[in-house]
Amino acid sequence: MTELQEKIASIYPEGDSGTPAFVVTFDPSIPVIGVPIVVQLHRIKVDTPYTLSFSITNDSGELVGGANQNVKIDSEAIKDDPAQLFPDNTVMVSVKTMIYPVNINVDGSENLKVSAVMFSDEMSTAPSHTYITTRPLPKK
């Protein structure tokens, strides 16, 4: 039998409709943007504090943004919803985070790499990644 392990199941930038949006348009007169990220966590333990740590880097590897998000699923809050709770007291959950400010190149498009790591007192995951492309809005 394999041991169940907490992990980041997926990570993606969220668009206006809640679906993944891998292209972010921006106003060239504003040098920072916010990037909404959704992370789906697999089999995290209830009543255990986790930290999600995000970093965003540009093509040169320069850090242009970052954020931390604390996650703790309270067993009392889900005790009446057994569909959410696995027999080993773990859950799957989606967490939304707005990473702001993210410094961007206002002179043109660039590719940004978003990395996330989840850790607790007992464990740490390898980084999970997603990518976004920034695109300036046309000048009027």
Side-chain angles (χ1 to χ4, degrees), residues 3 11 18 23 32 40 49 51 58 68 84 86 91-92 127 132 134:
E3 185 177 338
I11 174 174
V23 175
V32 295
Q40 294 178 326
T51 299
N58 61 18
N68 286 321
Q84 286 192 43
F86 291 103
V91 294
M92 290 182 69
I132 60 172
T134 62

Side-chain angles (χ1 to χ4, degrees), residues 13-132:
E14 185 181 52
D16 293 338
S17 62
T19 57
F22 296 101
V23 175
V24 176
T25 55
F26 65 91
D27 178 342
S29 66
I30 303 170
V32 295
I33 59 171
V35 177
I37 293 291
V38 175
V39 180
Q40 294 178 326
L41 306 178
H42 182 68
R43 295 309 258 264
I44 66 169
K45 297 173 185 165
V46 295
D47 298 323
T48 300
Y50 293 89
T51 299
L52 284 167
S53 183
F54 298 92
S55 61
I56 299 183
T57 53
N58 61 18
D59 284 334
S60 304
E62 175 188 8
L63 183 67
V64 294
N68 286 321
Q69 173 82 37
N70 294 320
V71 179
K72 183 177 177 187
I73 305 301
D74 184 4
S75 59
E76 280 297 306
I78 60 170
K79 71 178 190 315
D80 296 329
D81 189 359
Q84 286 192 43
L85 192 61
F86 291 103
D88 61 354
N89 270 349
T90 62
V91 294
M92 290 182 69
V93 65
S94 290
V95 176
K96 279 188 202 181
T97 300
M98 174 63 78
I99 303 173
Y100 181 87
V102 177
N103 299 308
I104 55 171
N105 174 5
V106 295
D107 296 326
S109 295
E110 66 182 336
N111 296 314
L112 301 177
K113 179 180 180 180
V114 182
S115 301
V117 175
M118 178 176 65
F119 56 92
S120 70
D121 289 343
E122 301 172 354
M123 56 74 67
S124 179
T125 65
S128 294
H129 309 289
T130 190
Y131 297 87
I132 60 172

